[in-house]
Amino acid sequence: MILITGSSGQLGSYLVESIPNSIGLDRKESQYTKIIWDIRKEIDSALRDYEIDTIIHAAAQVSVLKSVEDPKIDAENNIIGTINLLEYARKHDVKYFIYISSAAVYGEPRYLPIDEAHLTAPKSPYGLSKLTGERYALLYHELYGLKVASVRPFNIFSPRQDPNSPYSGVISIFVDRAKKGEPLIIYGDGEQTRDFVNVEDVVQLIKLLQKDKPTGIYNCGTEKETSINELAKIIKNISGKDLEIVHLPPREGDIRRSYASIEKARSIGYKPTTNLKRDIERYFFTRNKKGGV
Ligand code: UD1
Protein backbone atom coordinates (compact mmCIF):
# COMPACT_ATOMS: atom_id res chain seq x y z
CA MET A 1 0.00 0.00 0.00
CA ILE A 2 1.13 3.55 -0.75
CA LEU A 3 0.93 6.13 2.01
CA ILE A 4 0.37 9.71 0.87
CA THR A 5 0.91 12.32 3.56
CA GLY A 6 -0.62 15.76 3.15
CA SER A 7 -3.65 14.21 1.46
CA SER A 8 -5.92 17.16 2.27
CA GLY A 9 -3.49 19.54 0.60
CA GLN A 10 -3.14 20.71 -2.98
CA LEU A 11 -0.76 18.06 -4.31
CA GLY A 12 -1.62 15.23 -1.90
CA SER A 13 -5.31 15.27 -2.83
CA TYR A 14 -4.49 14.81 -6.52
CA LEU A 15 -2.06 12.02 -5.66
CA VAL A 16 -4.68 10.09 -3.68
CA GLU A 17 -7.10 10.50 -6.58
CA SER A 18 -4.72 9.23 -9.22
CA ILE A 19 -2.61 6.56 -7.49
CA PRO A 20 -4.34 3.22 -7.01
CA ASN A 21 -3.89 1.38 -3.73
CA SER A 22 -3.00 4.59 -1.90
CA ILE A 23 -4.14 5.86 1.45
CA GLY A 24 -4.17 9.48 2.58
CA LEU A 25 -2.93 10.83 5.90
CA ASP A 26 -3.37 14.42 7.00
CA ARG A 27 -3.97 16.47 10.10
CA LYS A 28 -6.99 18.02 8.40
CA GLU A 29 -10.11 16.18 7.34
CA SER A 30 -11.07 15.93 3.68
CA GLN A 31 -12.58 13.44 1.26
CA TYR A 32 -9.05 12.34 0.30
CA THR A 33 -7.88 11.63 3.84
CA LYS A 34 -8.45 8.34 5.63
CA ILE A 35 -6.05 8.74 8.55
CA ILE A 36 -6.23 11.92 10.58
CA TRP A 37 -2.82 12.33 12.18
CA ASP A 38 -0.29 15.02 13.00
CA ILE A 39 3.12 13.95 11.68
CA ARG A 40 4.87 15.85 14.47
CA LYS A 41 3.95 12.84 16.61
CA GLU A 42 5.56 9.42 16.07
CA ILE A 43 3.67 7.61 13.39
CA ASP A 44 3.66 3.90 14.28
CA SER A 45 0.36 3.80 16.10
CA ALA A 46 -1.47 5.57 13.26
CA LEU A 47 -0.37 2.98 10.71
CA ARG A 48 -0.75 -0.16 12.80
CA ASP A 49 -3.45 -1.61 10.54
CA TYR A 50 -1.63 -1.03 7.26
CA GLU A 51 1.21 -2.55 5.34
CA ILE A 52 3.00 0.33 3.68
CA ASP A 53 5.63 -0.29 1.01
CA THR A 54 5.89 3.23 -0.43
CA ILE A 55 5.59 6.64 1.21
CA ILE A 56 4.95 9.82 -0.75
CA HIS A 57 5.60 12.57 1.75
CA ALA A 58 3.75 15.71 0.70
CA ALA A 59 2.66 16.92 4.16
CA ALA A 60 4.37 20.16 5.08
CA GLN A 61 4.08 23.64 6.43
CA VAL A 62 4.03 25.23 2.95
CA SER A 63 4.05 28.93 3.59
CA VAL A 64 7.24 30.97 3.25
CA LEU A 65 5.66 33.88 5.13
CA LYS A 66 4.51 31.72 8.01
CA SER A 67 7.96 30.16 8.25
CA VAL A 68 9.43 33.60 8.81
CA GLU A 69 6.82 34.43 11.46
CA ASP A 70 7.18 31.10 13.25
CA PRO A 71 10.30 29.17 12.26
CA LYS A 72 9.83 26.69 15.08
CA ILE A 73 6.43 25.43 13.90
CA ASP A 74 7.83 25.29 10.38
CA ALA A 75 10.79 23.17 11.53
CA GLU A 76 8.60 20.90 13.66
CA ASN A 77 6.45 20.06 10.66
CA ASN A 78 9.03 19.96 7.90
CA ILE A 79 12.03 18.51 9.76
CA ILE A 80 10.67 16.55 12.75
CA GLY A 81 7.63 15.43 10.72
CA THR A 82 9.93 14.08 8.00
CA ILE A 83 12.16 12.32 10.53
CA ASN A 84 9.08 10.64 12.04
CA LEU A 85 8.15 9.25 8.62
CA LEU A 86 11.71 8.18 7.84
CA GLU A 87 11.92 6.37 11.17
CA TYR A 88 8.69 4.58 10.34
CA ALA A 89 10.13 3.65 6.91
CA ARG A 90 13.33 2.31 8.49
CA LYS A 91 11.56 0.21 11.10
CA HIS A 92 8.87 -1.19 8.82
CA ASP A 93 10.96 -2.03 5.79
CA VAL A 94 9.35 0.52 3.45
CA LYS A 95 10.70 0.03 -0.07
CA TYR A 96 10.51 3.51 -1.53
CA PHE A 97 10.25 7.04 -0.13
CA ILE A 98 9.32 10.01 -2.32
CA TYR A 99 9.97 13.32 -0.61
CA ILE A 100 8.24 16.43 -1.91
CA SER A 101 10.85 19.15 -1.62
CA SER A 102 10.69 22.63 -3.18
CA ALA A 103 12.49 24.93 -5.60
CA ALA A 104 12.84 27.17 -2.53
CA VAL A 105 15.95 25.16 -1.58
CA TYR A 106 17.92 26.97 -4.33
CA GLY A 107 17.47 30.54 -3.09
CA GLU A 108 18.60 33.22 -5.54
CA PRO A 109 19.47 31.53 -8.86
CA ARG A 110 23.16 31.76 -9.83
CA TYR A 111 22.43 30.59 -13.39
CA LEU A 112 19.45 29.54 -15.51
CA PRO A 113 17.83 27.16 -16.06
CA ILE A 114 18.32 25.86 -12.52
CA ASP A 115 19.47 22.24 -12.54
CA GLU A 116 19.64 19.86 -9.59
CA ALA A 117 23.39 20.46 -9.17
CA HIS A 118 22.74 24.16 -8.52
CA LEU A 119 23.94 25.49 -5.18
CA THR A 120 21.33 25.27 -2.41
CA ALA A 121 21.18 28.52 -0.43
CA PRO A 122 17.62 28.94 0.88
CA LYS A 123 16.42 32.45 1.65
CA SER A 124 13.73 31.49 4.18
CA PRO A 125 13.23 29.12 7.11
CA TYR A 126 10.80 27.27 4.81
CA GLY A 127 13.49 26.69 2.16
CA LEU A 128 15.92 25.58 4.84
CA SER A 129 13.47 23.19 6.51
CA LYS A 130 12.52 21.62 3.17
CA LEU A 131 16.20 21.22 2.31
CA THR A 132 16.92 19.68 5.72
CA GLY A 133 14.06 17.19 5.32
CA GLU A 134 15.45 16.27 1.92
CA ARG A 135 18.97 15.78 3.33
CA TYR A 136 17.60 13.54 6.09
CA ALA A 137 15.79 11.43 3.52
CA LEU A 138 18.96 11.07 1.43
CA LEU A 139 20.92 10.27 4.58
CA TYR A 140 18.54 7.40 5.28
CA HIS A 141 19.47 6.12 1.85
CA GLU A 142 23.17 6.26 2.78
CA LEU A 143 22.72 4.80 6.26
CA TYR A 144 19.96 2.25 5.77
CA GLY A 145 19.66 1.72 2.01
CA LEU A 146 16.15 3.21 1.86
CA LYS A 147 15.47 4.13 -1.78
CA VAL A 148 14.70 7.84 -1.83
CA ALA A 149 13.65 10.28 -4.54
CA SER A 150 13.24 13.96 -3.86
CA VAL A 151 11.04 16.09 -6.11
CA ARG A 152 11.66 19.82 -6.29
CA PRO A 153 8.55 21.41 -7.78
CA PHE A 154 8.73 24.98 -9.09
CA ASN A 155 5.51 27.06 -8.95
CA ILE A 156 2.65 24.52 -8.77
CA PHE A 157 -0.85 25.70 -9.66
CA SER A 158 -4.23 24.01 -9.49
CA PRO A 159 -7.81 24.92 -8.65
CA ARG A 160 -7.30 23.45 -5.19
CA GLN A 161 -5.16 26.30 -3.91
CA ASP A 162 -7.16 28.52 -1.57
CA PRO A 163 -7.11 32.05 -3.04
CA ASN A 164 -8.24 33.52 0.27
CA SER A 165 -5.15 32.39 2.09
CA PRO A 166 -2.59 35.20 2.39
CA TYR A 167 -0.01 32.55 1.46
CA SER A 168 -1.60 31.63 -1.85
CA GLY A 169 0.26 31.64 -5.17
CA VAL A 170 0.02 34.44 -7.70
CA ILE A 171 -2.19 32.51 -10.16
CA SER A 172 -4.96 31.79 -7.62
CA ILE A 173 -4.79 35.37 -6.36
CA PHE A 174 -5.00 36.92 -9.85
CA VAL A 175 -7.86 34.60 -10.88
CA ASP A 176 -9.81 35.39 -7.72
CA ARG A 177 -9.39 39.13 -8.19
CA ALA A 178 -10.23 38.88 -11.89
CA LYS A 179 -13.49 37.12 -11.10
CA LYS A 180 -14.43 39.85 -8.64
CA GLY A 181 -13.42 42.56 -11.16
CA GLU A 182 -10.72 43.81 -8.80
CA PRO A 183 -7.38 45.21 -9.99
CA LEU A 184 -4.46 42.79 -10.37
CA ILE A 185 -1.62 43.87 -8.12
CA ILE A 186 1.89 43.34 -9.40
CA TYR A 187 4.79 43.70 -6.99
CA GLY A 188 7.64 45.52 -8.72
CA ASP A 189 7.96 46.00 -12.47
CA GLY A 190 6.40 42.59 -13.24
CA GLU A 191 9.38 41.45 -15.30
CA GLN A 192 10.24 38.80 -12.67
CA THR A 193 9.65 35.30 -14.07
CA ARG A 194 8.52 31.92 -12.73
CA ASP A 195 8.19 28.37 -14.01
CA PHE A 196 4.49 27.61 -13.52
CA VAL A 197 3.74 23.90 -13.57
CA ASN A 198 0.26 22.40 -13.39
CA VAL A 199 -0.39 19.87 -10.64
CA GLU A 200 -0.98 17.11 -13.21
CA ASP A 201 2.64 17.33 -14.36
CA VAL A 202 3.84 16.94 -10.79
CA VAL A 203 1.62 13.86 -10.44
CA GLN A 204 3.02 12.58 -13.76
CA LEU A 205 6.62 12.80 -12.50
CA ILE A 206 5.78 11.12 -9.20
CA LYS A 207 4.10 8.24 -11.00
CA LEU A 208 7.15 7.80 -13.23
CA LEU A 209 9.39 7.69 -10.16
CA GLN A 210 7.16 5.08 -8.60
CA LYS A 211 7.59 2.91 -11.67
CA ASP A 212 11.42 2.94 -11.86
CA LYS A 213 12.17 3.70 -8.18
CA PRO A 214 15.40 5.63 -8.78
CA THR A 215 17.24 7.33 -5.92
CA GLY A 216 18.03 11.00 -6.56
CA ILE A 217 16.79 14.55 -6.83
CA TYR A 218 14.39 15.64 -9.60
CA ASN A 219 13.30 19.15 -10.52
CA CYS A 220 9.70 19.40 -11.59
CA GLY A 221 8.78 22.29 -13.86
CA THR A 222 8.33 23.04 -17.54
CA GLU A 223 11.66 24.67 -18.49
CA LYS A 224 9.66 27.75 -19.56
CA GLU A 225 9.62 31.10 -17.82
CA THR A 226 6.66 33.45 -17.74
CA SER A 227 6.81 36.99 -16.44
CA ILE A 228 4.20 38.24 -13.99
CA ASN A 229 3.26 40.91 -16.55
CA GLU A 230 2.54 38.18 -19.13
CA LEU A 231 0.57 36.21 -16.55
CA ALA A 232 -1.55 39.26 -15.68
CA LYS A 233 -2.25 39.80 -19.39
CA ILE A 234 -3.29 36.16 -19.90
CA ILE A 235 -5.70 36.24 -16.96
CA LYS A 236 -7.10 39.64 -17.94
CA ASN A 237 -7.79 38.35 -21.47
CA ILE A 238 -9.44 35.13 -20.28
CA SER A 239 -11.65 37.06 -17.85
CA GLY A 240 -12.83 39.32 -20.68
CA LYS A 241 -12.95 42.22 -18.19
CA ASP A 242 -11.28 45.58 -18.43
CA LEU A 243 -9.22 44.95 -15.30
CA GLU A 244 -6.88 47.53 -13.91
CA ILE A 245 -3.26 46.44 -13.40
CA VAL A 246 -1.60 48.17 -10.46
CA HIS A 247 2.11 48.10 -9.64
CA LEU A 248 3.24 48.21 -6.01
CA PRO A 249 6.81 48.20 -4.64
CA PRO A 250 8.61 44.84 -5.05
CA ARG A 251 8.25 42.16 -2.38
CA GLU A 252 11.22 41.93 -0.10
CA GLY A 253 13.42 38.94 -0.98
CA ASP A 254 11.58 38.27 -4.25
CA ILE A 255 13.58 36.19 -6.72
CA ARG A 256 14.03 37.87 -10.11
CA ARG A 257 14.04 34.99 -12.60
CA SER A 258 13.40 31.31 -12.04
CA TYR A 259 12.92 28.29 -14.24
CA ALA A 260 13.87 24.66 -14.04
CA SER A 261 16.13 22.46 -16.06
CA ILE A 262 14.11 19.26 -16.40
CA GLU A 263 16.63 17.12 -18.26
CA LYS A 264 16.85 14.67 -15.39
CA ALA A 265 13.08 14.22 -15.16
CA ARG A 266 12.97 13.84 -18.96
CA SER A 267 15.46 10.98 -18.70
CA ILE A 268 12.82 8.90 -16.91
CA GLY A 269 10.11 9.80 -19.41
CA TYR A 270 8.67 13.05 -18.01
CA LYS A 271 6.98 15.26 -20.62
CA PRO A 272 5.40 18.40 -19.21
CA THR A 273 1.94 19.15 -20.56
CA THR A 274 1.39 22.51 -18.88
CA ASN A 275 -0.10 25.17 -21.13
CA LEU A 276 -0.66 28.24 -19.02
CA LYS A 277 -3.52 29.81 -20.97
CA ARG A 278 -5.40 26.56 -21.57
CA ASP A 279 -4.92 25.34 -17.99
CA ILE A 280 -6.00 28.60 -16.38
CA GLU A 281 -9.10 28.53 -18.57
CA ARG A 282 -10.03 24.95 -17.78
CA TYR A 283 -9.04 25.03 -14.09
CA PHE A 284 -10.68 28.29 -13.16
CA PHE A 285 -13.05 29.54 -15.83
CA THR A 286 -15.04 26.48 -16.86
CA ARG A 287 -18.13 25.22 -15.09
CA ASN A 288 -16.43 22.01 -13.96
CA LYS A 289 -13.66 23.44 -11.81
CA LYS A 290 -12.44 20.11 -10.61
CA GLY A 291 -9.52 20.08 -13.03
CA GLY A 292 -9.34 16.34 -12.49
CA VAL A 293 -6.22 14.38 -13.31
C1 UD1 B 1 6.80 30.14 -4.68
C2 UD1 B 1 6.07 29.34 -3.64
C3 UD1 B 1 6.94 29.06 -2.47
C4 UD1 B 1 8.21 28.41 -2.94
C5 UD1 B 1 8.89 29.24 -4.01
C6 UD1 B 1 10.04 28.48 -4.58
C7 UD1 B 1 3.68 29.71 -3.64
C8 UD1 B 1 2.56 30.44 -3.01
N1 UD1 B 1 4.89 30.05 -3.19
O1 UD1 B 1 7.09 31.44 -4.22
O2 UD1 B 1 6.28 28.20 -1.58
O3 UD1 B 1 9.06 28.32 -1.88
O4 UD1 B 1 7.98 29.49 -5.06
O5 UD1 B 1 10.80 29.25 -5.44
O6 UD1 B 1 3.52 28.89 -4.51
N2 UD1 B 1 3.08 38.42 -7.12
C9 UD1 B 1 2.47 39.57 -7.57
N3 UD1 B 1 1.19 39.83 -7.14
C10 UD1 B 1 0.49 39.00 -6.28
C11 UD1 B 1 1.14 37.84 -5.83
C12 UD1 B 1 2.43 37.57 -6.26
O7 UD1 B 1 3.04 40.35 -8.32
O8 UD1 B 1 -0.66 39.31 -5.96
C13 UD1 B 1 4.43 38.11 -7.62
C14 UD1 B 1 5.45 37.88 -6.52
O9 UD1 B 1 6.02 39.08 -6.11
C15 UD1 B 1 6.44 36.96 -7.23
C16 UD1 B 1 5.58 36.18 -8.20
O10 UD1 B 1 4.38 36.89 -8.32
O11 UD1 B 1 7.39 37.70 -7.95
C17 UD1 B 1 5.27 34.76 -7.71
O12 UD1 B 1 4.79 34.84 -6.39
P1 UD1 B 1 4.20 33.57 -5.59
O13 UD1 B 1 3.13 32.93 -6.37
O14 UD1 B 1 3.90 34.03 -4.23
O15 UD1 B 1 5.38 32.53 -5.61
P2 UD1 B 1 6.96 32.63 -5.25
O16 UD1 B 1 7.27 33.88 -4.56
O17 UD1 B 1 7.70 32.33 -6.50
PDB file of all heavy atoms in Angstrom, residues 255-270:
ATOM      1  N   ILE A 255      12.607  36.665  -5.739  1.00  0.00           N
ATOM      2  CA  ILE A 255      13.584  36.191  -6.717  1.00  0.00           C
ATOM      3  C   ILE A 255      13.249  36.804  -8.068  1.00  0.00           C
ATOM      4  O   ILE A 255      12.081  36.983  -8.400  1.00  0.00           O
ATOM      5  CB  ILE A 255      13.541  34.644  -6.762  1.00  0.00           C
ATOM      6  CG1 ILE A 255      14.234  34.093  -5.510  1.00  0.00           C
ATOM      7  CG2 ILE A 255      14.160  34.095  -8.022  1.00  0.00           C
ATOM      8  CD1 ILE A 255      13.962  32.629  -5.259  1.00  0.00           C
ATOM      9  N   ARG A 256      14.270  37.174  -8.839  1.00  0.00           N
ATOM     10  CA  ARG A 256      14.026  37.866 -10.112  1.00  0.00           C
ATOM     11  C   ARG A 256      13.574  36.890 -11.216  1.00  0.00           C
ATOM     12  O   ARG A 256      12.481  36.990 -11.714  1.00  0.00           O
ATOM     13  CB  ARG A 256      15.322  38.601 -10.517  1.00  0.00           C
ATOM     14  CG  ARG A 256      15.161  39.493 -11.718  1.00  0.00           C
ATOM     15  CD  ARG A 256      14.272  40.684 -11.411  1.00  0.00           C
ATOM     16  NE  ARG A 256      14.130  41.557 -12.568  1.00  0.00           N
ATOM     17  CZ  ARG A 256      13.201  42.490 -12.676  1.00  0.00           C
ATOM     18  NH1 ARG A 256      12.337  42.683 -11.708  1.00  0.00           N
ATOM     19  NH2 ARG A 256      13.123  43.242 -13.746  1.00  0.00           N
ATOM     20  N   ARG A 257      14.437  35.955 -11.559  1.00  0.00           N
ATOM     21  CA  ARG A 257      14.044  34.986 -12.599  1.00  0.00           C
ATOM     22  C   ARG A 257      14.186  33.575 -12.057  1.00  0.00           C
ATOM     23  O   ARG A 257      15.087  33.301 -11.268  1.00  0.00           O
ATOM     24  CB  ARG A 257      14.934  35.127 -13.834  1.00  0.00           C
ATOM     25  CG  ARG A 257      14.677  36.383 -14.619  1.00  0.00           C
ATOM     26  CD  ARG A 257      15.673  36.515 -15.765  1.00  0.00           C
ATOM     27  NE  ARG A 257      15.498  35.483 -16.789  1.00  0.00           N
ATOM     28  CZ  ARG A 257      16.420  35.219 -17.724  1.00  0.00           C
ATOM     29  NH1 ARG A 257      17.564  35.863 -17.745  1.00  0.00           N
ATOM     30  NH2 ARG A 257      16.190  34.281 -18.625  1.00  0.00           N
ATOM     31  N   SER A 258      13.307  32.698 -12.496  1.00  0.00           N
ATOM     32  CA  SER A 258      13.396  31.310 -12.043  1.00  0.00           C
ATOM     33  C   SER A 258      12.763  30.393 -13.068  1.00  0.00           C
ATOM     34  O   SER A 258      11.646  30.634 -13.504  1.00  0.00           O
ATOM     35  CB  SER A 258      12.657  31.178 -10.704  1.00  0.00           C
ATOM     36  OG  SER A 258      12.404  29.820 -10.398  1.00  0.00           O
ATOM     37  N   TYR A 259      13.525  29.405 -13.515  1.00  0.00           N
ATOM     38  CA  TYR A 259      12.919  28.290 -14.242  1.00  0.00           C
ATOM     39  C   TYR A 259      13.826  27.079 -14.185  1.00  0.00           C
ATOM     40  O   TYR A 259      15.031  27.179 -14.018  1.00  0.00           O
ATOM     41  CB  TYR A 259      12.487  28.664 -15.660  1.00  0.00           C
ATOM     42  CG  TYR A 259      13.559  28.863 -16.705  1.00  0.00           C
ATOM     43  CD1 TYR A 259      13.802  27.874 -17.664  1.00  0.00           C
ATOM     44  CD2 TYR A 259      14.296  30.040 -16.754  1.00  0.00           C
ATOM     45  CE1 TYR A 259      14.759  28.062 -18.657  1.00  0.00           C
ATOM     46  CE2 TYR A 259      15.249  30.231 -17.735  1.00  0.00           C
ATOM     47  CZ  TYR A 259      15.484  29.248 -18.677  1.00  0.00           C
ATOM     48  OH  TYR A 259      16.428  29.430 -19.644  1.00  0.00           O
ATOM     49  N   ALA A 260      13.187  25.922 -14.310  1.00  0.00           N
ATOM     50  CA  ALA A 260      13.867  24.659 -14.036  1.00  0.00           C
ATOM     51  C   ALA A 260      14.503  24.065 -15.277  1.00  0.00           C
ATOM     52  O   ALA A 260      13.949  24.145 -16.369  1.00  0.00           O
ATOM     53  CB  ALA A 260      12.850  23.664 -13.495  1.00  0.00           C
ATOM     54  N   SER A 261      15.644  23.428 -15.078  1.00  0.00           N
ATOM     55  CA  SER A 261      16.126  22.458 -16.060  1.00  0.00           C
ATOM     56  C   SER A 261      15.447  21.144 -15.708  1.00  0.00           C
ATOM     57  O   SER A 261      15.470  20.722 -14.550  1.00  0.00           O
ATOM     58  CB  SER A 261      17.650  22.317 -15.952  1.00  0.00           C
ATOM     59  OG  SER A 261      18.030  21.065 -16.506  1.00  0.00           O
ATOM     60  N   ILE A 262      14.841  20.498 -16.705  1.00  0.00           N
ATOM     61  CA  ILE A 262      14.107  19.258 -16.399  1.00  0.00           C
ATOM     62  C   ILE A 262      14.693  18.063 -17.153  1.00  0.00           C
ATOM     63  O   ILE A 262      14.026  17.055 -17.341  1.00  0.00           O
ATOM     64  CB  ILE A 262      12.594  19.403 -16.705  1.00  0.00           C
ATOM     65  CG1 ILE A 262      12.376  19.888 -18.137  1.00  0.00           C
ATOM     66  CG2 ILE A 262      11.930  20.321 -15.704  1.00  0.00           C
ATOM     67  CD1 ILE A 262      10.928  19.784 -18.593  1.00  0.00           C
ATOM     68  N   GLU A 263      15.960  18.208 -17.527  1.00  0.00           N
ATOM     69  CA  GLU A 263      16.632  17.121 -18.256  1.00  0.00           C
ATOM     70  C   GLU A 263      16.576  15.801 -17.493  1.00  0.00           C
ATOM     71  O   GLU A 263      16.350  14.750 -18.063  1.00  0.00           O
ATOM     72  CB  GLU A 263      18.086  17.503 -18.462  1.00  0.00           C
ATOM     73  CG  GLU A 263      18.543  17.388 -19.897  1.00  0.00           C
ATOM     74  CD  GLU A 263      19.905  18.023 -20.045  1.00  0.00           C
ATOM     75  OE1 GLU A 263      19.964  19.243 -20.277  1.00  0.00           O
ATOM     76  OE2 GLU A 263      20.890  17.295 -19.891  1.00  0.00           O
ATOM     77  N   LYS A 264      16.809  15.903 -16.188  1.00  0.00           N
ATOM     78  CA  LYS A 264      16.852  14.672 -15.391  1.00  0.00           C
ATOM     79  C   LYS A 264      15.481  13.991 -15.356  1.00  0.00           C
ATOM     80  O   LYS A 264      15.375  12.776 -15.513  1.00  0.00           O
ATOM     81  CB  LYS A 264      17.306  15.015 -13.971  1.00  0.00           C
ATOM     82  CG  LYS A 264      18.108  13.913 -13.359  1.00  0.00           C
ATOM     83  CD  LYS A 264      18.797  14.359 -12.103  1.00  0.00           C
ATOM     84  CE  LYS A 264      18.969  13.173 -11.183  1.00  0.00           C
ATOM     85  NZ  LYS A 264      19.408  13.576  -9.844  1.00  0.00           N
ATOM     86  N   ALA A 265      14.442  14.783 -15.161  1.00  0.00           N
ATOM     87  CA  ALA A 265      13.084  14.224 -15.161  1.00  0.00           C
ATOM     88  C   ALA A 265      12.769  13.636 -16.543  1.00  0.00           C
ATOM     89  O   ALA A 265      12.165  12.570 -16.658  1.00  0.00           O
ATOM     90  CB  ALA A 265      12.072  15.301 -14.795  1.00  0.00           C
ATOM     91  N   ARG A 266      13.208  14.344 -17.585  1.00  0.00           N
ATOM     92  CA  ARG A 266      12.973  13.840 -18.957  1.00  0.00           C
ATOM     93  C   ARG A 266      13.602  12.469 -19.154  1.00  0.00           C
ATOM     94  O   ARG A 266      13.064  11.630 -19.871  1.00  0.00           O
ATOM     95  CB  ARG A 266      13.559  14.806 -19.982  1.00  0.00           C
ATOM     96  CG  ARG A 266      12.649  15.949 -20.322  1.00  0.00           C
ATOM     97  CD  ARG A 266      12.968  16.493 -21.726  1.00  0.00           C
ATOM     98  NE  ARG A 266      12.167  17.650 -21.999  1.00  0.00           N
ATOM     99  CZ  ARG A 266      12.598  18.909 -21.921  1.00  0.00           C
ATOM    100  NH1 ARG A 266      13.852  19.168 -21.598  1.00  0.00           N
ATOM    101  NH2 ARG A 266      11.784  19.914 -22.170  1.00  0.00           N
ATOM    102  N   SER A 267      14.738  12.247 -18.502  1.00  0.00           N
ATOM    103  CA  SER A 267      15.462  10.977 -18.697  1.00  0.00           C
ATOM    104  C   SER A 267      14.664   9.779 -18.176  1.00  0.00           C
ATOM    105  O   SER A 267      14.943   8.645 -18.536  1.00  0.00           O
ATOM    106  CB  SER A 267      16.837  11.024 -18.038  1.00  0.00           C
ATOM    107  OG  SER A 267      16.690  10.928 -16.631  1.00  0.00           O
ATOM    108  N   ILE A 268      13.662  10.025 -17.336  1.00  0.00           N
ATOM    109  CA  ILE A 268      12.817   8.896 -16.910  1.00  0.00           C
ATOM    110  C   ILE A 268      11.430   8.960 -17.576  1.00  0.00           C
ATOM    111  O   ILE A 268      10.490   8.295 -17.159  1.00  0.00           O
ATOM    112  CB  ILE A 268      12.686   8.777 -15.372  1.00  0.00           C
ATOM    113  CG1 ILE A 268      12.103  10.044 -14.746  1.00  0.00           C
ATOM    114  CG2 ILE A 268      14.020   8.438 -14.728  1.00  0.00           C
ATOM    115  CD1 ILE A 268      11.584   9.813 -13.314  1.00  0.00           C
ATOM    116  N   GLY A 269      11.322   9.805 -18.603  1.00  0.00           N
ATOM    117  CA  GLY A 269      10.105   9.799 -19.414  1.00  0.00           C
ATOM    118  C   GLY A 269       9.145  10.963 -19.169  1.00  0.00           C
ATOM    119  O   GLY A 269       8.063  11.003 -19.755  1.00  0.00           O
ATOM    120  N   TYR A 270       9.557  11.910 -18.331  1.00  0.00           N
ATOM    121  CA  TYR A 270       8.670  13.046 -18.008  1.00  0.00           C
ATOM    122  C   TYR A 270       8.515  13.978 -19.214  1.00  0.00           C
ATOM    123  O   TYR A 270       9.513  14.385 -19.822  1.00  0.00           O
ATOM    124  CB  TYR A 270       9.270  13.797 -16.821  1.00  0.00           C
ATOM    125  CG  TYR A 270       8.609  15.097 -16.451  1.00  0.00           C
ATOM    126  CD1 TYR A 270       7.361  15.127 -15.843  1.00  0.00           C
ATOM    127  CD2 TYR A 270       9.266  16.321 -16.665  1.00  0.00           C
ATOM    128  CE1 TYR A 270       6.775  16.339 -15.476  1.00  0.00           C
ATOM    129  CE2 TYR A 270       8.685  17.532 -16.296  1.00  0.00           C
ATOM    130  CZ  TYR A 270       7.442  17.529 -15.707  1.00  0.00           C
ATOM    131  OH  TYR A 270       6.869  18.722 -15.337  1.00  0.00           O
TER     132      TYR A 270
END
